[in-house]
Amino acid sequence: MASIQQSFMSPIGIACWPYLNAPDTKFASHGDPGSYKVDLKIPAAEAEDFLSSIEDFRDANLDGRKAKLPWKAELDENNKETGNILIRFAQKEFIKTSRGNMPMKILLIDGAKQVMTEVIGPGSTIRVKCNARIWTVKGETGLTLHPVVVQCTDLKESMSASSDGFDEVEGSFSSAGGGGVMPEATPGT
């Protein structure tokens, strides 16, 4: 079955575990792509219309067959539902084609629709324009939400040496590398 896709705009929500500026390559095998991804936390009542639209798209294209959907209820530490939905958006870093690897990027914009380069960290307020894509592989059917554009309306940058709460301690140990600049924390941590 060829893939079927349609564009959707999410409601505004909170970014959880975002890898939007750079792909997550932790589980990528040698030569395989990493993934740009984010889970968007939205109160269930506010997510209802968006999720219904995606379910309608699925139902219109699958003739009654079911497809695994990329969202779930958020659970607290006691395994009780919080009233929020976590919606997974994911896009491979590149797609392998007969002409080589085709890089995939996500356009990141601010609330004024200006391109942004700041790292979108956990807790940022965002919304996502995505392509919902139905796929079938080895008899399994699913639906993936591929982020195309992410609009950040309240930025929470990932932790860095300047925002970690520590002050420099005079006369203390300094790493052998000299300079001792702490690298940026990995997005999503």
Side-chain angles (χ1 to χ4, degrees):
M1 172 182 169
S3 67
I4 302 166
Q5 70 180 20
Q6 182 177 327
S7 292
F8 293 92
M9 179 74 74
S10 79
I12 292 176
I14 303 298
C16 302
W17 310 286
Y19 286 87
L20 296 168
N21 298 77
D24 178 8
T25 58
K26 184 174 184 177
F27 299 106
S29 302
H30 181 69
D32 287 337
S35 292
Y36 294 100
K37 60 188 176 182
V38 65
D39 283 2
L40 187 62
K41 179 169 53 173
I42 304 173
E46 293 176 27
E48 194 172 301
D49 289 344
F50 176 68
L51 301 181
S52 291
S53 296
I54 293 170
E55 288 172 339
D56 290 346
F57 164 71
R58 175 202 60 192
D59 295 344
N61 288 289
L62 287 180
D63 303 320
R65 292 180 293 141
K66 294 297 177 193
K68 184 177 176 185
L69 297 171
W71 60 79
K72 62 184 177 183
E74 179 187 47
L75 302 176
D76 66 16
E77 60 277 353
N78 297 317
N79 248 7
K80 303 283 187 213
E81 292 188 10
T82 64
N84 294 319
I85 301 292
L86 293 172
I87 305 168
R88 167 62 56 106
F89 297 87
Q91 174 64 59
K92 293 289 185 192
E93 169 184 19
F94 60 84
I95 297 173
K96 294 180 181 183
T97 70
S98 59
R99 295 185 209 147
N101 294 337
M102 183 172 74
M104 305 302 291
K105 289 286 187 183
I106 300 168
L107 177 62
L108 305 175
I109 60 173
D110 62 20
K113 297 178 16 175
Q114 300 300 307
V115 173
M116 59 182 284
T117 58
E118 294 85 357
V119 175
I120 296 176
S124 295
T125 303
I126 64 170
R127 69 176 168 176
V128 181
K129 180 178 181 185
C130 65
N131 289 330
R133 183 174 158 261
I134 297 171
W135 50 265
T136 300
V137 176
K138 297 181 182 176
E140 183 180 349
T141 301
L143 186 144
T144 302
L145 300 175
H146 296 291
V148 178
V149 181
V150 173
Q151 183 177 36
C152 183
T153 59
D154 183 26
L155 180 65
K156 306 285 189 230
E157 292 188 77
S158 290
M159 185 176 19
S160 67
S162 61
S163 65
D164 61 11
F166 286 96
D167 292 324
E168 189 173 326
V169 178
E170 288 293 320
S172 65
F173 164 79
S174 179
S175 70
V181 176
M182 184 175 161
E184 289 289 320
T186 303
T189 59

